[in-house]
Amino acid sequence: MKIYPILTTAAALAVAAGGAVSAQTLEEVRERGHLNCGVSPGVTGFSNPDDEGNWSGFDVEVCRAVAAAVLEDADAVRYTPLSNTERFTALQSGEIDMLSRTTTRTLNRDTALGLNFAPVMFYDGQGFMVRQDMGVSSVLELDGATVCTSAGSTTELNLADYFEANGMSYEPVRFDRADEVLAAYDAGRCDVYTSDRSGLAARRLVMTNPAEHVMLPETISKEPLAPAVRHGDDQWFDIVTWTVYALIEAEEYGVTQGNVDEMANSENPNIARMLGAEGSPVGEWIGLDNKWVHRAIAAVGNYGEIFERHVGPNTPLEIERGMNALHTNGGLQYAMPFK
Amino acid sequence: MPVSRDLGPMAAPKPAFWTRSRIRSVLVQFGFVVLLVLLIQFLLANTMQNLARQGIASGFGFLENRAGFDIAIAFLDFDRNGTYLDAFWTAIVNTLVLATLGIALATLLGFMIGLARVSPNWLISRLAAVYIETFRNIPLLLQLFFWYFAILRPLPGPRQSFDVAGTVFLSNRGLYMPKPLLDSGAQLALLALVVGLIFALFMARSARRHRAATGNSVAVAHWWLIGLVGLPVLTWFATGASVEMSIPSLQGFNFRGGMVILPEMLAALLGLSIYIAAAVGEIVRSGIQGIDHGQTEAAQAMGHTRGQIMRYVVIPQAMRIIIPPLTTQYQSLAKNTSLASAIAFPEIISIIAGTTLTQTGQAMETIALAMLFYLTVSLFIAAVMNFFNWRVMRRSF
């Protein structure tokens, strides 16, 4: 009888529809045994798979830190590379538990998209790259230029707003994927390549001749890049938020990947409490065991170490700390107290 | 031997009414529809509930908001101050222009390839076979990238562009050509030309019919002269029309003025039509070879030339075989325009399911709009092609 397949399909659909997004992310992650983390599909320094499929990078370390805190294993992460247009839907629908993917925190995303943003991991801004031989020294000289950009990012809107505000025109060439933006700019389709400055620094490395291209001095926008989780699970939001704070706080207190075991017995009560010394309530408050911060730092190091390892001045990206320095060094990175 | 016509006692007892096949099938179908409606209702309610619980905005109100982005290729006037709805219309027109040009080009090329494929000339038929097998068996996305970078890479920048007499410029910014700026008189003259053409076509058709009915031919040359030359020229001088040319010139980074074909447009058009033309070629070949050889032989026996046989005997009958699969190819071309977003052609996927989706975050609504668009286009193509099919089938041979 033909009706059975139809009924089966209907039943399967009904079950699928019933699988509502649960508020118990922590329970799910523990039961599953791994963390599902959304990352960029290949940005040097931020998230890049090697030839064996092992992901590494600045954004990847956040996933690893959370996995270490929650699952006691920094490698228990399944990475999902997501394009600009896929990222929010993947998070909203529960396909991933958290998004750590050079994503700008904005009002629209924080509210209408149903997301919660953890503290900013990287303060960035939109920059412009041009060919050196064009002889351009400012964005204000770019009236009438052809601009390559990727679709579905804050970049597009900043670009239009900035050119509008300065009474300039431009011709946008908009690609789905960052790889094609790069290839088209490299092939000479555009005069200008615009993106977050960190992204430009990363992509310049893979151009045919990196030395031919220069970054213009202007930064036309604020791009605070932060990990995100979905609305409706406060405990999970707290875990991701305070894992990021833990990385920053560790740098401020001089706790590193190398000395975290000694520091656990520190005389400084602040450090001892954060790292879960006897009688510390940090585990109880957040719903994990006492050693969660300890494990996160042992797995990935403190914020400064992560920065130096993946994007800092001694990496090919050569990005200075700048705004991303600790507040004690004149930067913006400021963790809330572990009290 | 008495034959009993009374089958009464032999007949099976009257079955319960719900087991009768007609009633049963109605019941089953009714039940299925009810289930389906309930399921859809459940899916929608569940989705809305989940969206509300996570505080995600929904609804189509965003279409009235300012878009704030620009679109390079726009056949409608659009700028960043337009709404998302304006952007949607622009994307629709861009997609439709690409699909229409693609279908026209694929048909033209496909018929040529199909005819070449059945050519008795060994070389021509082999070349057509190579064309078909090559382009049919490489994924379209790769072909689009190939054409895009094949067009971009060899072309120089705008300052070193190739030019023809200082008016037409070819560079990796596109092909810039002079654009005629028509005043109202010139526009009227253009309109007169179109009217004249329709008039001449009409006169030629009635002359053909007259000849078919009576065997007497009627002169039509003067109608063509009046329609194509007399009427437009008269309008031109009556209105004192004039045409100015907007010639592109290099200012700053790029050319200004004139009109342009951007590399994205050209690559998308080439990629789509060359790919679909391979399939069309095979359909045309199978259509032609599907006509019984007796038809050709009979026409030969009547002394028709090869060209005449093709034109009057084979092709008209082959169309019956060709049109239904051709519909599918046209639909697939229209849907494959979505791949052009990968090479920066601003169509529905790029504008609506790309930029608008991420700027507003309303994935369900934007994807629904895109799906509705493709469904409408596909059904429209099917309707038009079914009409042609009906006309071809109606002719009896």
Side-chain angles (χ1 to χ4, degrees), chain A residues 1 3 6-7 10 13-14 17-23 84-85 87-89 91-93 108-109 111-115 133-134 136 141-146 151-153 156-157 160-161 163-165 168-176 180 183-184 186-191 208 230-232, chain B residues 24 28-29 32 35 39 42-43 46 50-51 53-57 66-73 80-81 84 145 148-149 152-153 155 157-159 172-174 176 251-254 256 260 262-264 338-339 341-346 349-351 353-355 357-363:
Chain A
M1 207 46 200
I3 189 117
I6 296 167
L7 280 176
L13 275 173
V21 179
S22 164
N84 278 348
T85 43
R87 54 186 163 174
F88 302 123
T89 318
L91 185 57
Q92 289 166 343
S93 63
N108 168 260
R109 293 170 179 178
T111 56
L113 265 67
L115 307 184
D133 61 16
M134 272 172 56
V136 172
E141 296 166 31
L142 291 177
D143 191 16
T146 306
S153 59
E156 269 184 278
L157 209 53
D161 290 352
F163 275 65
E164 170 94 12
M168 302 191 297
S169 69
Y170 70 100
E171 187 177 279
V173 186
R174 179 188 300 109
F175 295 85
D176 281 353
E180 273 86 57
D186 211 15
R189 173 66 182 97
C190 300
D191 304 303
T208 319
R230 61 187 154 267
H231 275 176
Chain B
R24 194 176 54 194
V28 166
Q29 288 181 40
F32 178 67
L35 264 180
L39 178 70
F42 170 70
L43 280 172
N46 189 59
N50 274 338
L51 288 178
R53 204 163 48 77
Q54 289 186 53
I56 300 172
R66 179 179 180 270
F69 58 87
D70 292 81
I71 300 177
I73 302 174
R80 55 193 93 137
N81 293 317
Y84 285 115
F145 283 134
Y148 188 50
F149 288 106
L152 275 192
R153 294 225 182 255
L155 289 176
R159 289 175 207 189
N172 57 20
R173 294 290 183 278
Y176 281 82
Q251 283 168 22
F253 295 104
N254 206 347
R256 307 233 170 149
V260 61
L262 294 176
E264 290 79 30
S338 56
L339 291 174
S341 69
I343 54 164
F345 183 86
I349 294 297
S350 166
I351 300 296
T355 302
L357 189 157
T358 14
Q359 282 191 9
T360 63
Q362 298 196 278

Side-chain angles (χ1 to χ4, degrees), chain B residues 247-307:
Chain B
I247 294 174
S249 65
L250 187 63
Q251 283 168 22
F253 295 104
N254 206 347
F255 292 93
R256 307 233 170 149
M259 55 185 178
V260 61
I261 301 175
L262 294 176
E264 290 79 30
M265 173 85 197
L266 195 60
L269 189 57
L270 270 181
L272 282 168
S273 46
I274 286 178
Y275 175 72
I276 296 293
V280 172
E282 273 301 85
I283 290 169
V284 170
R285 177 197 59 77
S286 67
I288 290 171
Q289 291 183 342
I291 300 305
D292 192 275
H293 198 56
Q295 298 277 336
T296 320
E297 284 173 349
Q300 274 169 346
M302 290 169 79
H304 291 296
T305 64
R306 220 190 105 75

Side-chain angles (χ1 to χ4, degrees), chain B residues 55 59 74 76 78 109 111 146 165 187 203 206 233 243 267 269 364 373:
Chain B
L76 295 180
F78 177 82
L109 196 60
F111 268 80
F146 170 79
Q187 284 172 4
M203 293 312 285
S206 55
V233 170
V243 172
L269 189 57
M364 302 266 228
F373 169 76

